[in-house]
Amino acid sequence: MTQDPVLNAKPILERFRLNDRVAVVTGGGQGIGRAYAHALGEAGAAVAVADISLKTASAVAEELRAKNVDAIAIQVDVTKAAEVQAMVDAIIAKWGKLTIGVNNAGIGQWVNAEDMSEADWDRLMDINLKGIFLCCQAEARVMLPAGYGKIINMASMSGHISNTPQNQAHYNASKAGVIHLTRSLAAEWAPRGLRVNSISAGYTRTQLVDDLLSTPIGKEMLPHWMRLTPMNRMGEVTDLQGAVVYLAAEASDFMTGNDMIVDGGYCAW
């Protein structure tokens, strides 16, 4: 007789727990990455907080340890393959495994396309797209032999729409690239037990965004953004924590190649 999958499954909340799992969060020293690191740690994972700034990464790792989360800080430039590999090597040396990779490091820039320099384009693509690929690659090299792993890439609603009024063609293109890279890796690696998904955030309040909103151009743009957001508010970094825990957990084991949009309804218009 076939077992009943509902009656024989683990209780649902247990399938969201991350006990005995090891996570890395790039760009984990501030903003959304910091919120992700806290969420994964609170759910039970050991967490490597990776950032180009060792100071901010160390501060977040200390916050996690204050919550009794096993955490370390690692300095990494995600555009350098050797540094990304060294990051993964340090995690394996510490915990012996890596089961969750959250590739969040990224930058933004507003510049008119006709005025954009080659350096502007290259810097943003290197961090936002090449950096994601290098992290996925290094993480997969340890997850694939283990036959299981979760990779979660940080995309954006800007990978789906050309949001206005700011001009950011290179940023939009980079995030569209992240979404399709995620799908491509998901299809390639699914037969070997590795799930790859992404999260697309809408306008989300971070310190960097708060600094922008205190400027004249930011004050001018905020009402426009809110008119286009059905929920009529900006997201908080805590609004994204549930998504990252779900994608990292056993609860999402049959989900791969998906982009989860968390934007207050912006893309629903």
Side-chain angles (χ1 to χ4, degrees):
M1 181 177 179
T2 303
Q3 287 191 333
D4 186 322
V6 175
L7 297 180
N8 288 280
K10 290 181 186 176
I12 184 61
L13 292 182
E14 287 187 27
R15 282 180 268 154
F16 281 86
R17 293 294 305 169
L18 301 177
N19 296 349
D20 300 320
R21 301 200 180 191
V22 175
V24 61
V25 182
T26 67
Q30 61 180 331
I32 292 170
R34 174 174 171 258
Y36 285 162
H38 274 266
L40 296 169
E42 289 168 10
V47 181
V49 183
D51 201 282
I52 198 165
S53 166
L54 184 59
K55 180 179 179 181
T56 60
S58 297
V60 175
E62 184 60 33
E63 292 173 352
L64 295 177
R65 287 191 289 268
K67 293 181 174 180
N68 295 316
V69 174
D70 192 4
I72 60 172
I74 301 174
Q75 185 171 26
V76 64
D77 179 345
V78 297
T79 69
K80 304 290 192 293
E83 291 193 25
V84 172
Q85 187 60 53
M87 172 187 76
V88 172
D89 291 344
I91 293 166
I92 299 302
K94 169 69 174 175
W95 290 297
K97 62 182 178 180
L98 174 63
T99 44
I100 302 162
V102 180
N103 304 316
N104 167 77
I107 60 170
Q109 183 190 29
W110 296 351
V111 58
N112 296 335
E114 69 272 21
D115 300 321
M116 189 183 300
S117 69
E118 186 176 357
D120 287 334
W121 176 273
D122 287 346
R123 176 172 176 265
L124 192 138
M125 286 293 178
D126 274 356
I127 296 171
N128 287 12
L129 188 54
K130 175 186 170 184
I132 293 276
F133 172 72
L134 292 177
C135 289
C136 289
Q137 185 181 58
E139 292 154 2
R141 285 171 176 159
V142 297
M143 292 178 182
L144 288 169
Y148 185 85
K150 297 293 189 82
I151 290 178
I152 304 155
N153 296 324
M154 196 59 191
S156 169
M157 70 176 185
S158 299
H160 294 272
I161 49 94
S162 181
N163 46 343
T164 60
Q166 65 273 22
N167 295 328
Q168 51 179 33
H170 53 344
Y171 179 81
N172 297 348
S174 75
K175 293 302 185 178
V178 169
I179 293 167
H180 204 60
L181 173 65
T182 297
R183 293 186 186 121
S184 300
L185 297 178
E188 183 173 342
W189 291 336
R192 290 184 280 169
L194 183 48
R195 288 81 166 168
V196 190
N197 294 288
S198 58
I199 297 173
S200 281
Y203 292 114
T204 304
R205 188 178 303 281
T206 64
Q207 186 59 56
L208 292 175
V209 172
D210 279 344
D211 291 345
L212 170 66
L213 294 178
S214 68
T215 67
I217 190 169
K219 291 176 181 177
E220 178 183 334
M221 287 189 175
L222 182 59
H224 178 82
W225 294 344
M226 293 304 94
R227 282 195 302 272
L228 296 175
T229 303
M231 287 191 178
N232 197 37
R233 71 170 177 89
M234 293 193 72
E236 302 292 341
V237 293
T238 50
D239 289 318
L240 296 164
Q241 289 180 308
V244 79
V245 170
Y246 170 65
L247 292 176
E250 179 185 339
S252 64
D253 272 0
F254 196 56
M255 185 174 184
T256 198
N258 182 76
D259 182 59
M260 186 179 291
I261 302 174
V262 185
D263 67 350
Y266 192 105
C267 292
W269 285 118

